[in-house]
DNA sequence: TATGCGTGGGC
DNA sequence: TGCCCAAGCAT
């Protein structure tokens, strides 16, 4: 659930636990099935890392989970926070787990006004966390601070009256009754406009699907062949850019689906448009393969395709006749 | 060190 | 509509 709300991830967690109840089962699963189960949750490298990690633990480590943060850090997808959280909570290692909640709690308590995404602010924060961690109950301490941040010391309008730290909290003292200024972040992610063209290549019964390469957006997920390029305007002559060569047959109007719509990512504003092409079963169209529509629905798809799938399919089947 | 990586909720 | 943020990590 890295960078993901518990509310958003909990249903997925139950689904994973039911389907793959232990590390061996997850290790032996097909990656495509894991990705399909992850569909819609985002940050899909986490699914690949989880599967990879399960294999390392099940086979390389003979099913023995690491028991300290240093070893956990060698597992793919496990960074400083996750290693510290697991090791302190499961094995009572005395190491602070610093997530977004903890950053907010400590930066407010200390009144840190230097940006917490810079070395100075970060160092100040880490130093305090190291001193603060309870040697007796490191796991409980870490969970308590995280819960404090999640339930009381919230990003907006924290409930300072309910906070056990309010007496000494510099941020509360300096800005009573308001949303505290810390944490200060410098690096704001810029949202860039990109144009995303999906090329829906169909025959009477099949559609050409490809798996997206790693690294990059939606790596490992499936899609209609696509182009992503900078900008926000759909150029009139886009069809001359794609496909680059025959054997492309003809372009068919998708009607309303031809109108671009917006799909938002944290760092991109995508202007999405579908293009429908009539293909031939005897031809290939680059990476990918001919797929039955109902089989394609079993593949892991990015949200933008999950949402538009029915409209695209219906329109394609209608137009192709 | 800076950037890429998804999606959804709240305001 | 726009912005912030969420049990961060890899490169």
């Amino acid at each position: 659930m890295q960078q993901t709300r518990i509310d958003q991830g909990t249903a997925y967690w139950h689904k994973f636990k039911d389907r793959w109840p232990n590390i061996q089962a997850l290790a032996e699963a097909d990656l495509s099935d894991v990705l399909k189960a992850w569909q819609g949750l985002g940050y899909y490298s986490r699914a690949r890392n989880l599967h990879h990690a399960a294999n390392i633990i099940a086979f390389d480590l003979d099913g023995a989970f690491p028991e300290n943060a240093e070893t956990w850090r060698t597992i793919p997808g496990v960074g400083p926070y996750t290693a510290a959280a697991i090791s302190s909570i499961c094995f009572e290692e005395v190491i602070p787990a610093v997530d977004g909640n903890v950053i907010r709690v400590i930066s407010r308590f200390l009144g840190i006004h230097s940006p917490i995404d810079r070395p100075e602010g970060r160092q100040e924060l880490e130093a305090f966390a190291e001193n603060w961690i309870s040697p007796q109950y490191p796991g409980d301490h870490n969970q308590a601070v995280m819960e404090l941040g999640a339930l009381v010391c919230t990003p907006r309008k924290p409930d300072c009256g309910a906070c056990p730290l309010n007496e000494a909290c510099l941020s509360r003292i300096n800005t009573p009754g308001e949303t505290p200024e810390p944490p200060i972040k410098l690096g704001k992610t810029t949202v860039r406009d990109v144009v995303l063209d999906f090329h829906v290549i169909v025959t009477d019964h099949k559609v050409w699907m490809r798996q997206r390469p790693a690294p990059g957006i939606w790596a490992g997920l499936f899609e209609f062949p696509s182009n992503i390029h900078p900008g926000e305007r759909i150029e009139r002559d886009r069809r001359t850019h794609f496909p680059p060569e025959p054997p492309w047959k003809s372009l068919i109007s998708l009607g309303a689906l031809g109108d671009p719509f917006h799909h938002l990512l944290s760092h991109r504003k995508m202007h999405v448009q579908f293009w429908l092409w009539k293909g031939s079963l005897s031809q290939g169209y680059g990476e990918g393969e001919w797929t039955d529509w109902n089989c394609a629905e079993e593949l892991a798809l990015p949200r933008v395709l999950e949402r538009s799938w029915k409209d695209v399919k219906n329109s394609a089947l209608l137009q192709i006749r």
Side-chain angles (χ1 to χ4, degrees):
Chain A
M1 305 213 187
Q2 295 155 352
Q3 285 284 280
T4 302
R5 287 180 205 284
I6 299 305
D7 287 347
Q8 190 189 354
T10 300
Y12 287 84
W13 180 73
H14 286 297
K15 181 163 65 176
F16 269 72
K17 288 257 296 173
D18 289 344
R19 183 158 177 190
W20 299 293
N22 56 56
I23 198 77
Q24 284 80 14
L26 184 58
E28 288 166 5
D30 287 338
L31 176 58
S32 56
D33 290 334
V34 176
L35 282 168
K36 183 63 179 177
W38 202 275
Q39 173 175 298
L41 195 51
Y43 284 153
Y44 298 96
S45 65
R46 295 179 300 182
R48 299 193 302 277
N49 285 334
L50 184 67
H51 185 251
H52 187 187
N55 272 272
I56 290 174
I57 294 171
F59 301 126
D60 296 355
L61 303 182
D62 213 19
F65 284 78
E67 298 190 1
N68 59 67
E70 186 184 354
T71 314
W72 269 110
R73 284 289 280 111
T74 68
I75 303 296
V78 176
Y81 160 73
T82 305
I86 296 173
S87 305
S88 65
I89 293 169
C90 301
F91 305 107
E92 298 300 324
E93 181 172 344
V94 183
I95 183 171
V98 180
D99 72 339
N101 291 308
V102 178
I103 289 174
R104 192 168 53 253
V105 169
I106 296 180
S107 66
R108 284 177 179 172
F109 185 70
L110 297 182
I112 297 178
H113 277 74
S114 55
I116 48 86
D117 54 355
R118 307 291 298 181
E120 308 84 66
R122 186 76 198 185
Q123 206 163 8
E124 191 175 349
L125 206 144
E126 298 281 354
F128 183 84
E130 288 286 349
N131 278 321
W132 197 22
I133 181 85
S134 160
Q136 290 83 17
Y137 308 105
D140 288 348
H141 171 96
N142 282 333
Q143 294 193 74
V145 181
M146 285 190 275
E147 286 298 289
L148 186 63
L151 302 179
V152 177
C153 193
T154 50
R156 272 179 295 238
K157 297 185 177 178
D159 187 6
C160 293
C163 181
L165 305 178
N166 57 12
E167 294 286 320
C169 179
L170 280 182
S171 184
R172 187 194 65 84
I173 292 169
N174 292 336
T175 59
E178 313 249 330
T179 298
E181 209 174 42
I184 310 262
K185 285 179 192 170
L186 215 54
K188 310 242 188 269
T189 56
T190 56
V191 179
R192 275 191 272 275
D193 286 279
V194 296
V195 173
L196 170 55
D197 291 322
F198 282 116
H199 298 282
V200 189
I201 311 159
V202 296
T203 67
D204 288 350
H205 300 295
K206 290 177 185 285
V207 57
W208 187 263
M209 299 293 293
R210 73 156 185 173
Q211 191 168 25
R212 288 192 60 89
I217 186 78
W218 300 319
L221 275 62
F222 290 81
E223 63 161 8
F224 312 118
S226 68
N227 309 102
I228 299 180
H229 52 90
E232 54 183 301
R233 245 191 9 263
I234 309 286
E235 288 134 35
R236 184 69 59 90
D237 61 346
R238 178 64 44 72
R239 68 189 68 183
T240 65
H241 296 268
F242 193 98
E245 307 258 331
W248 304 90
K249 293 282 189 181
S250 60
L251 181 65
I252 303 168
S253 169
L254 262 176
L257 279 174
D259 295 336
F261 63 95
H262 292 164
H263 182 78
L264 299 176
L265 280 61
S266 55
H267 57 305
R268 293 288 183 272
K269 181 174 181 178
M270 293 177 150
H271 303 255
V272 185
Q273 192 163 16
F274 292 94
W275 305 88
L276 182 60
W277 301 85
K278 185 173 183 178
S280 165
L281 281 182
S282 60
Q283 302 277 5
Y285 300 90
E287 174 79 10
E289 58 183 277
W290 285 116
T291 312
D292 288 333
W293 279 99
N294 56 339
C295 291
E297 289 162 16
E298 302 302 312
L299 302 172
L301 304 171
R303 198 62 147 163
V304 63
L305 288 185
E306 198 184 343
R307 290 186 193 286
S308 46
W309 187 262
K310 276 199 169 64
D311 285 342
V312 172
K313 176 183 176 181
N314 290 339
S315 182
L317 291 177
L318 201 66
Q319 299 284 339
I320 201 65
R321 298 208 182 98

